[in-house]
Amino acid sequence: MRYSTDIFLSYKQNDGSDALAMALYHELKPLDVWLDKKRGAERSEAGMMAGVQGCRLFCAILSPLYFGSQLCLLEIRKAIVERKKIVLCLQFGSKFKVQEALGWLPVEFSGLKSDELVMLHEDDDFMQVTINKLRSRAQ
């Protein structure tokens, strides 16, 4: 299959993940990263669905309201239907524990709990480990 993008970033806007998504967008270069704020005319529901369908790796940045967002649910459900590699990410050092974050997952997504939860760090050295993991998974 020909992919149109390497990584699709899914996150709930205005829920504390915007800065992380932007940082990942820049840190993952030269990979092609689908980020809504950088997609211009593709920044629509149809554009998002095409982005998910054409990605190698679907990266969901978890936050308390992620699974309450209809757009985030639409994106992650599309990733599952398309059998995309999915990675769940959580900001390290946030006020939420990993166990709490995993509790945010609705029952329909419980199968995603079997994979590693990738931590997003503000510390550059630790963040490079995460960046390398994401690059590797997008291959």
Side-chain angles (χ1 to χ4, degrees):
M1 173 179 191
R2 182 172 138 38
Y3 296 98
S4 58
T5 190
D6 296 306
I7 298 176
F8 185 97
L9 291 181
S10 176
Y11 67 103
K12 173 66 177 105
Q13 290 185 7
N14 304 317
D15 193 21
S17 301
D18 296 69
L20 283 171
M22 288 298 289
L24 282 175
Y25 175 83
H26 291 291
E27 289 290 327
L28 287 165
K29 293 297 179 189
L31 293 180
D32 184 17
V33 178
W34 202 105
L35 178 64
D36 57 355
K37 294 177 188 237
K38 298 290 190 178
R39 296 313 269 208
E42 293 176 89
R43 194 175 178 181
S44 66
E45 188 174 310
M48 287 185 284
M49 293 301 94
V52 173
Q53 185 174 7
C55 74
R56 290 181 185 271
L57 178 68
F58 182 89
C59 178
I61 302 173
L62 299 182
S63 62
L65 300 179
Y66 182 89
F67 291 103
S69 165
Q70 291 306 308
L71 289 176
C72 291
L73 288 172
L74 188 65
E75 291 168 351
I76 199 166
R77 285 178 177 137
K78 177 74 169 172
I80 291 169
V81 166
E82 295 289 331
R83 298 189 171 185
K84 298 296 175 180
K85 290 187 276 185
I86 298 174
V87 62
L88 301 178
C89 296
L90 180 67
Q91 181 177 2
F92 177 80
S94 72
K95 56 186 172 188
F96 305 105
K97 294 184 167 90
V98 170
Q99 295 82 355
E100 186 176 4
L102 291 175
W104 299 334
L105 276 75
V107 173
E108 73 177 284
F109 303 114
S110 60
L112 297 174
K113 292 180 182 181
S114 63
D115 291 331
E116 173 189 19
L117 183 63
V118 175
M119 303 308 286
L120 302 173
H121 294 263
E122 290 181 6
D123 180 278
D124 191 52
D125 290 336
F126 288 113
M127 187 61 154
Q128 286 308 310
V129 172
T130 298
I131 295 299
N132 291 338
K133 282 182 183 186
L134 294 176
R135 282 186 178 137
S136 173
R137 291 180 187 192
Q139 300 303 314

